[in-house]
Amino acid sequence: MSDVAPFQGMASLPEGYRALVIGASGALGAAFEAQLQADPRCAGVIGLHRQSAPALDFADEASIATAAQALREQAPFHILINAAGLLHSADFMPEKKLGELSYAQLQATFLVNTFGPALLLRHFLPLMDKQRSVLALLSAKVGSIEDNRLGGWYSYRASKAALNMLLKTAAIEAKRSLPGAALIALHPGTVSSALSRPFRGDEIGRAPALAAQEMLAVLDRVQAEDSGSFLSYQGERLPW
């Protein structure tokens, strides 16, 4: 943390804004939570994960609705970030060829990267502030169909492409009930974490604190008219 400049805060959000971080037990989720807690303009940050209270587990559909209901009295929230994601596990690594595809890996990857975030949109979007709020789902540039030049990573790529479509579609619907909300698919780049470690993430990745700061700076700049966008941690628009 010593080489990371102090977080300047979310100036575009109202004084006393409230924040939600999903996947707060992971390296990047914890970094988002810490950065937001350090912002004196933030009235409170709630980090949700499988062991939090309320608990939220993408493998348990009911827990998503239950967590949202438990937090309803603390709404509205002004920023929500989903930092949970799955690229590999003890049982599998990203597929390099069609011959490695299996239902088990596809289902496990889509459960965390697509189905869980979809249910977040269903249950948590109504808790967002109507006048000014940002909901960001961490996606990935490898989920861009147009940008796919190397192939491989079938389950992960497809799960993020599907996530992008879900967010884009939800952004269209949300404009009716949440005119001041911006729904963003956000590419974090390579971050030093358990997710990227097998792919030299510790060597080429940025520190989670720095990555969180960069992405929060991007989210601080987005407006309602940007809702439904696919952005990088540098703020550039990415091809779907």
Side-chain angles (χ1 to χ4, degrees):
M1 287 287 289
S2 60
D3 59 344
V4 179
F7 177 47
Q8 298 302 309
M10 302 293 290
S12 70
L13 298 182
E15 183 75 32
Y17 73 85
R18 300 189 61 79
L20 277 169
V21 178
I22 314 299
S25 61
L28 196 46
F32 275 120
E33 186 175 10
Q35 296 294 333
L36 289 164
Q37 286 175 337
D39 185 355
R41 300 181 68 255
C42 181
V45 186
I46 297 174
L48 298 179
H49 50 83
R50 285 173 291 194
Q51 284 79 46
S52 61
L56 193 153
D57 185 350
F58 284 166
D60 178 3
E61 180 179 346
S63 76
I64 304 172
T66 300
Q69 182 62 36
L71 298 177
R72 190 167 297 278
E73 292 186 1
Q74 299 182 53
F77 293 94
H78 301 87
I79 182 167
L80 182 154
I81 301 171
N82 175 49
L86 177 66
L87 174 58
H88 57 83
S89 74
D91 299 319
F92 59 77
M93 294 296 287
E95 312 97 334
K96 295 181 179 179
K97 54 187 178 181
L98 283 169
E100 297 174 358
L101 285 176
S102 71
Y103 269 13
Q105 184 163 345
L106 284 160
Q107 290 171 338
T109 306
F110 270 75
L111 180 68
V112 175
N113 294 346
T114 313
F115 301 162
L119 271 292
L120 283 182
L121 291 169
R122 173 184 173 181
H123 295 292
F124 281 83
L125 199 53
L127 305 186
M128 304 304 291
D129 188 76
K130 295 182 179 180
Q131 304 305 316
R132 169 60 179 163
S133 58
V134 180
L135 185 151
L137 303 181
L138 293 198
S139 184
K141 191 175 180 181
V142 296
S144 167
I145 295 174
E146 184 178 342
D147 189 65
N148 185 356
R149 295 178 178 85
L150 297 177
W153 291 29
Y154 284 88
S155 296
Y156 189 73
R157 286 184 186 274
S159 68
K160 292 298 188 179
L163 172 71
N164 289 349
M165 176 59 83
L166 286 163
L167 181 128
K168 178 71 172 180
T169 305
I172 295 170
E173 179 178 345
K175 287 181 179 180
R176 304 164 196 158
S177 58
L178 296 166
L183 279 62
I184 304 295
L186 188 59
H187 166 57
T190 302
V191 181
S192 299
S193 67
L195 184 143
S196 66
R197 191 158 295 129
F199 313 99
R200 298 177 55 235
D202 290 336
E203 301 172 42
I204 63 176
R206 290 124 55 233
L210 175 59
Q213 284 188 11
E214 291 172 335
M215 286 184 279
L216 287 170
V218 171
L219 297 178
D220 195 35
R221 296 194 296 269
V222 300
Q223 299 299 320
E225 54 266 30
D226 298 311
S227 191
S229 296
F230 184 18
L231 304 177
S232 79
Y233 64 94
Q234 296 173 317
E236 65 178 322
R237 290 183 180 271
L238 298 175
W240 295 110

